């Protein structure tokens, strides 16, 4: 039986997700429904992507018995509210990153998923890429000795994009792209909580972070260094340095196709899209779609690639970084 997807949100990321799913066998994956707050948008999207059903509200999707999982591609300011709607309706959910606006909201989503015995995953698609799987394998066999330092950079000039800069839309570098650097560090250090976090950054006039530098110290004298910016173009790569060599994930590190291990390069090409994409390497969203299918077939309620405890830790670290840099959202006092 094909995994039947219901898409929530008819924006750019849902478009790319739909295109990515089409690179997988139709017997395994089927997009059955698109839901938007605008029925007109939903119908347009359905026509473009060949989706049989279109809804003009999220409630209709929550009440549809003929879907296996909801992909939530709405603004992250909406993740908590809309996520609760689906989870309380007994729906499995793959929620775009960042999971929510703060760790309190994330813990609420996780608790609701457990209470309703449904699958929930934060869509950190990077974790599902073959490059990341190979990195985990290399680390397990200590291919570069003991890891001492991890560096991750992500900078993309996007000050012209409202959702990146406006506080009401959950803007800032941290929640949009910094999350990728931090999740990479946590993956390398086996989701260990850092012993210390030091963050400094500069804010836009809107009160969100434009550029941030984070230094984290872990047990056994290990360190991590992350830089992310929505104003500057950065190399967007990640480097793991050990006592016997290095592993380099070439940019774009959040959706990578090239890995360099002690100067030996390995390529993991992506399939071509059937329609133009909005974001880099978006056909790689196929990997997280397949990961979700495998989890559902096994009856799992979370993904071993991105367990819910990892998402909670990731958001707690982001809360601490925001506190140090001075970014406060209205959701923090709700």
């Amino acid at each position: 039986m094909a995994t039947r997807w219901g898409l929530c949100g008819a924006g750019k990321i849902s478009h790319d997700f739909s295109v990515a799913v089409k690179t997988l066998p139709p017997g395994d994956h089927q997009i059955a429904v698109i839901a938007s707050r605008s029925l007109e948008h939903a119908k347009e999207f359905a026509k473009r992507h060949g989706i049989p059903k279109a809804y003009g509200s999220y409630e209709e999707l929550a009440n549809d018995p003929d879907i296996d999982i909801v992909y939530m591609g709405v603004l992250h300011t909406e993740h908590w509210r809309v996520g609760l709607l689906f989870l309380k309706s007994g729906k499995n959910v793959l929620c775009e990153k960042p999971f929510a606006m703060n760790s309190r909201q994330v813990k609420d989503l996780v608790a609701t998923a457990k209470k309703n015995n449904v699958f929930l995953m934060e869509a950190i698609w990077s974790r599902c890429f073959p490059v990341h799987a190979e990195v985990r394998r290399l680390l397990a066999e200590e291919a570069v000795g003991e890891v001492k330092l991890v560096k991750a950079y992500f900078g993309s000039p996007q000050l012209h994009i409202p959702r990146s800069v406006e506080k009401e839309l959950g803007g800032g570098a941290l929640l949009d792209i910094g999350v990728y650097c931090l999740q990479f560090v946590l993956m390398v250090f086996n989701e260990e909580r850092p012993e210390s976090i030091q963050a400094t950054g500069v804010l836009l006039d809107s009160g969100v972070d434009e550029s941030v530098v984070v230094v984290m110290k872990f047990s056994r004298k290990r360190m991590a260094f992350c830089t992310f910016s929505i104003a500057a173009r950065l190399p967007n790569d990640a480097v793991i340095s050990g006592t016997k060599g290095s592993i380099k994930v070439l940019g774009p590190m959040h959706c990578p196709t090239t890995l360099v291990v002690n100067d030996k390069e390995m390529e993991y090409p992506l399939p071509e899209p059937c329609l133009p994409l909005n974001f880099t390497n978006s056909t790689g969203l196929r990997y997280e779609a397949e990961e979700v299918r495998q989890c559902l077939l096994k009856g799992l309620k979370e993904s071993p690639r991105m367990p819910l405890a990892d998402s909670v830790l990731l958001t707690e670290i982001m809360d601490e970084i925001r506190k140090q840099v001075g970014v406060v959202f209205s959701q923090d006092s709700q």
Side-chain angles (χ1 to χ4, degrees):
M1 284 282 289
T3 299
R4 299 165 301 174
W5 291 86
L7 303 188
C8 171
K12 289 180 177 177
I13 193 67
S14 291
H15 166 92
D16 284 14
F17 185 82
S18 181
V19 172
V21 168
K22 285 195 176 70
T23 68
L24 293 164
D28 289 352
H29 294 269
Q30 179 195 348
I31 296 178
V33 188
I34 170 71
S36 168
R37 282 179 302 195
S38 154
L39 183 57
E40 194 184 342
H41 282 162
K43 282 179 172 171
E44 276 171 28
F45 192 102
K47 191 178 171 188
R48 188 168 191 201
H49 292 275
I51 299 168
K53 272 195 284 194
Y55 293 142
S57 75
Y58 302 152
E59 286 75 16
E60 287 170 279
L61 177 57
N63 294 322
D64 188 330
D66 299 323
I67 57 159
D68 300 307
I69 181 142
V70 173
Y71 170 75
M72 268 176 50
V74 294
L75 271 178
H76 43 272
T77 47
E78 295 287 291
H79 285 179
W80 175 69
R81 186 183 63 80
V82 179
L84 288 179
L85 166 73
F86 291 122
L87 296 169
K88 285 176 178 174
S89 302
K91 291 285 180 281
N92 298 311
V93 173
L94 173 64
C95 175
E96 253 317 325
K97 54 67 57 195
F99 217 159
M101 295 301 291
N102 54 42
S103 58
R104 186 183 49 76
Q105 287 190 343
V106 169
K107 286 171 185 168
D108 201 8
L109 288 167
V110 169
T112 306
K114 287 180 176 165
K115 186 180 171 188
N116 289 277
N117 195 31
V118 289
F119 175 89
L120 177 63
M121 179 184 180
E122 181 181 13
I124 303 279
W125 61 321
S126 321
R127 293 274 176 112
C128 304
F129 271 70
V131 164
H132 277 61
E134 181 62 12
V135 167
R136 284 194 298 273
R137 190 189 68 77
L138 290 163
L139 292 173
E141 61 180 42
E142 298 183 352
V144 292
E146 189 190 353
V147 173
K148 299 301 289 181
L149 181 66
V150 181
K151 291 184 290 186
Y153 304 91
F154 197 160
S156 159
Q158 46 197 61
L159 296 177
H160 58 288
I161 304 170
R163 71 168 182 86
S164 296
V165 299
E166 290 177 23
K167 190 180 261 195
E168 295 69 37
L169 302 178
L174 175 65
L175 264 62
D176 190 24
I177 58 181
V179 59
Y180 286 122
C181 300
L182 299 169
Q183 71 79 25
F184 184 81
V185 169
L186 292 178
M187 182 187 80
V188 173
F189 289 141
N190 280 321
E191 313 308 328
E192 188 182 305
R193 188 178 292 275
E195 289 179 349
S196 71
I197 301 166
Q198 287 172 300
T200 185
V202 289
L203 306 186
L204 294 171
D205 292 342
S206 62
V208 303
D209 50 303
E210 178 213 86
S211 303
V212 179
V213 177
V214 182
V215 180
M216 291 182 281
K217 210 184 287 185
F218 291 82
S219 65
R220 305 200 306 277
K221 299 183 171 66
R222 297 169 301 161
M223 293 182 74
F225 175 86
C226 300
T227 307
F228 34 93
S229 172
I230 50 171
R233 194 170 293 289
L234 291 172
N236 296 2
D237 57 7
V239 184
I240 302 166
S241 303
T243 51
K244 294 179 184 170
S246 69
I247 298 168
K248 187 172 189 177
V249 177
L250 295 193
M253 59 79 72
H254 68 299
C255 50
T257 56
T258 313
L259 187 64
V260 183
V261 184
N262 297 332
D263 301 325
K264 183 181 159 225
E265 197 167 296
M266 290 179 273
E267 288 282 344
Y268 300 83
L270 282 164
E272 288 300 309
C274 61
L275 287 170
L277 297 166
N278 295 300
F279 304 108
T280 309
N281 288 355
S282 277
T283 45
L285 290 163
R286 72 201 299 267
Y287 301 127
E288 71 176 7
E290 184 55 28
E291 167 67 11
V292 168
R293 173 172 167 79
Q294 292 307 319
C295 289
L296 294 179
L297 288 173
K298 290 172 190 159
L300 301 179
K301 300 303 173 190
E302 56 185 299
S303 162
R305 294 275 177 93
M306 190 65 203
L308 296 170
D310 298 13
S311 289
V312 171
L313 175 59
L314 179 60
T315 321
E316 285 175 342
I317 290 169
M318 294 204 292
D319 284 356
E320 177 57 29
I321 292 167
R322 282 201 296 117
K323 191 172 151 191
Q324 291 186 26
V325 174
V327 177
V328 182
F329 291 111
S330 61
Q331 290 85 351
D332 296 332
S333 55
Q334 281 169 8

